[in-house]
Amino acid sequence: MDAATAEGFKQAMDYERGRKAPPENFPSLPDIPGVRYTNPEFLELERERMWRRAWLYAGHSDQLPEPGSWFLTRDPGAPILVVRGLEGDIRAFYNTCQHRGAPLVAEMSGESRGFVCPYHGWSYTLEGKLVAVRDRRDFVDLDFSCRSLVAVRCESIGNLIFINEDPEAEPLAQHVAPMAKEFEQYQFGTLRLVDSRSYEVECNVKVLLDAFLEVYHVQSIHQKTVARFLDHRGMVITLWPNGHSRMITPNSRPEWQDPGTIGMPKIATVTEVPANNNVSYLIYPNFVMPPSDSGVPLLQFWPVTDRSCRVVSTWIGPDYDPAASNPLWDTRIANWERILYEDLQFAPQIQESLESRGFRGMPLNYQERRIYHWHEELDRRIGLNQVPPDARVAQVLGDVVEA
C-alpha cells in the first residue's frame, strides 16, 4: 500500500470513529435465516455447491521438503493426497486406487518414489500414472492411460498450497485477484512453516466463521486481551467480488506495539497500514488471515458434520529455523491460543440455541456486514433459484467492491 492509500485508510478510520449512524446509503440488512445453520437440506446444498467447488487451503510447501514428499488431507471432506514430484512441482490426487477404491496411503505424511496400493498392488508414479498391475494377463483390454489417479486442482500463492475439487474452477490467481497486489508485500514465497494445530468444536462451521468476520464482539469476550488495544469503532471494511473481504482495525494508541513481537525477525516489505494496524483478510470461504510484519497466522474453518467443525490454526514467519527452539514464538503462539479459546468458548452453546425455537434469525448491523456479504456469496454459489425460500438471503449488498 502506497502513501496515498495509507492516508486514505487513516481518513476512513477517522470517519468511522466519528460517525453517529451508518452511512446514508447503507441498506437495511434483512435477517439471516436461522435455518441456514440447522436445516440438513440447505447444508447439503452448501456442501455440494460451495465447499466441493471452492479453493481451499491444503498446506504449506515446507510439508513437502523433498521430491517424493507427500501429505494427506481430509479437511475438504474427501481424502486428498498432495505430493511433490521429482521435478519439484506440486500436484494433488484423490487418495483412491483406480482398481477397487482402496487408499494408496494410510499415514498422514511420508516420502516415496511412487505409490503402490496395499490391497492389490496397483502401482502409480508421483505424477499419478498407472505403471504396473499384478497379474495383468487376467485383465481384458485394460488401458493404463485411462486409469491414472484422479487429479484435484492444485495451485499456490507463494508457499501456500490450495486445492479445488472443481476441475472447471477459475484459476486461483484470478480468484484472489482483488487481494493479489497487497499479498506481494508479505512475501509468502519466503515464509516458513512455524506451527499448526487444530481444535474440534461442537457447532456448525458458520457459527465460528461469522465470529471472525467482525469485531463487534471484542468488547465482550476479549476484555482482557485484544480489547485493551483494538479500537473497534475505527474499523474499516472492504468487500470484494467472490465473497472475499478485508477488515482493518486500528490500535487504540497509534504508538502501541505488540510486546510479543519485540525482537522477532521482520518482513521488511510490509507496508505502514498492516504494520501499524490489525488487518484481516478472508479468502472465501474459510481462510482467515490477519498478517503482521513479524509473522502471519492462517486460520481455516472446516465443516465436519452439520453441527461440528474443525478450526486449524497455522503460523508462518520469516527467517524461522525449524531445528532451533525459539521462546519468542512459543510465547506468541500461547498468547494467540488464549485469544482463540476466547472466541471458541461459547460456540457449542450457540449451536444449542440455534436449534431451539428461541432462535429465528440474525439482525446484522453495519459493523457485521462482512457476514452478510459471506452469506450472499453462498447463495450465489448454490444458485439463487436453488436455495429454499425460507433459507434465502436477499442480495442487498451485491457482488461489488466497497472500500
Side-chain angles (χ1 to χ4, degrees):
M1 298 180 185
D2 57 25
T5 303
E7 181 59 30
F9 279 117
K10 291 177 184 177
Q11 294 177 7
M13 291 172 187
D14 288 340
Y15 164 78
E16 291 293 339
R17 290 188 189 98
R19 64 178 174 81
K20 303 300 183 183
E24 291 184 3
N25 62 346
F26 185 74
S28 173
L29 299 178
D31 286 11
I32 300 289
V35 294
R36 295 170 71 88
Y37 296 76
T38 59
N39 182 277
E41 293 181 6
F42 177 82
L43 296 175
E44 180 60 25
L45 283 172
E46 180 183 299
R47 276 189 294 271
E48 289 296 326
R49 303 290 180 86
M50 190 272 283
W51 289 102
R52 292 177 182 168
R53 301 181 185 182
W55 281 108
L56 303 169
Y57 177 72
H60 190 278
S61 64
D62 278 357
Q63 295 172 251
L64 304 172
E66 303 291 340
S69 300
W70 55 265
F71 67 81
L72 180 66
T73 177
R74 294 187 175 91
D75 286 328
I80 294 174
L81 188 61
V82 183
V83 57
R84 187 183 292 278
L86 295 177
E87 302 300 322
D89 51 322
I90 297 175
R91 296 182 173 90
F93 306 98
Y94 289 103
N95 183 34
T96 306
C97 179
Q98 297 304 289
H99 175 221
R100 299 260 295 277
L104 298 172
V105 301
E107 304 297 325
M108 293 307 295
S109 63
E111 291 187 11
S112 176
R113 301 288 290 184
F115 300 103
V116 179
C117 176
Y119 198 7
H120 297 100
W122 281 34
S123 300
Y124 303 85
T125 67
L126 296 175
E127 291 73 37
K129 295 180 180 179
L130 179 65
V131 291
V133 169
R134 183 182 302 148
D135 296 336
R136 184 176 180 180
R137 65 180 186 176
D138 290 326
F139 287 90
V140 178
D141 296 332
L142 180 63
D143 185 350
F144 277 32
S145 67
C146 298
R147 303 293 176 176
S148 298
L149 298 179
V150 177
V152 177
R153 291 279 298 279
C154 181
E155 299 174 19
S156 297
I157 303 173
N159 287 335
L160 309 183
I161 305 167
F162 287 76
I163 55 178
N164 192 323
E165 293 187 67
D166 181 5
E168 303 301 321
E170 65 180 347
L172 177 61
Q174 181 179 337
H175 181 62
V176 301
M179 297 173 277
K181 190 65 177 177
E182 288 187 26
F183 284 173
E184 292 177 4
Q185 66 186 301
Y186 303 111
Q187 300 188 56
F188 291 130
T190 68
L191 302 187
R192 304 296 307 278
L193 179 63
V194 177
D195 181 82
S196 188
R197 56 192 71 184
S198 64
Y199 310 83
E200 307 294 323
V201 188
E202 293 300 317
C203 69
N204 182 266
V205 67
K206 296 190 292 297
V207 170
L208 287 178
L209 261 170
D210 289 348
F212 284 82
L213 297 181
E214 45 89 1
V215 288
Y216 187 49
H217 68 278
V218 164
Q219 295 298 315
S220 297
I221 69 173
H222 296 303
Q223 294 180 18
K224 296 182 179 180
T225 53
V226 295
R228 296 180 301 161
F229 59 85
L230 278 187
D231 178 11
H232 77 284
R233 293 174 65 88
M235 180 263 294
V236 175
I237 282 175
T238 303
L239 304 179
W240 283 307
N242 294 324
H244 310 312
S245 61
R246 178 189 60 206
M247 177 171 61
I248 303 178
T249 310
N251 294 325
S252 301
R253 303 187 307 276
E255 74 281 1
W256 184 88
Q257 183 178 0
D258 184 350
T261 66
I262 296 174
M264 300 192 75
K266 300 290 186 179
I267 307 169
T269 50
V270 171
T271 56
E272 176 186 355
V273 172
N276 299 323
N277 299 276
N278 298 271
V279 179
S280 182
Y281 297 94
L282 169 73
I283 298 180
Y284 197 90
N286 71 332
F287 184 88
V288 173
M289 180 179 66
S292 75
D293 60 356
S294 59
V296 181
L298 314 173
L299 285 167
Q300 306 96 56
F301 302 84
W302 299 100
V304 177
T305 68
D306 287 355
R307 64 187 323 273
S308 66
C309 65
R310 179 181 301 109
V311 181
V312 180
S313 174
T314 300
W315 275 91
I316 57 177
D319 301 328
Y320 179 72
D321 182 0
S325 176
N326 189 327
L328 293 176
W329 270 114
D330 293 341
T331 300
R332 187 172 189 184
I333 293 170
N335 290 339
W336 169 258
E337 190 170 53
R338 177 187 176 192
I339 296 168
L340 189 57
Y341 274 125
E342 290 175 345
D343 283 304
L344 304 183
Q345 62 180 311
F346 295 125
Q349 290 85 0
I350 291 174
Q351 181 64 35
E352 186 177 36
S353 293
L354 292 178
E355 295 171 354
S356 76
R357 294 182 180 179
F359 183 78
R360 297 186 177 93
M362 296 184 182
L364 300 179
N365 67 30
Y366 177 66
Q367 286 189 40
E368 299 169 298
R369 61 196 182 278
R370 290 178 84 205
I371 299 174
Y372 200 92
H373 183 60
W374 192 99
H375 281 269
E376 283 188 347
E377 175 66 15
L378 174 58
D379 281 13
R380 288 192 290 268
R381 295 194 183 204
I382 290 174
L384 298 180
N385 294 328
Q386 300 300 313
V387 180
D390 65 339
R392 288 176 188 165
V393 167
Q395 298 290 304
V396 174
L397 295 176
D399 194 4
V400 296
V401 175
E402 177 205 341

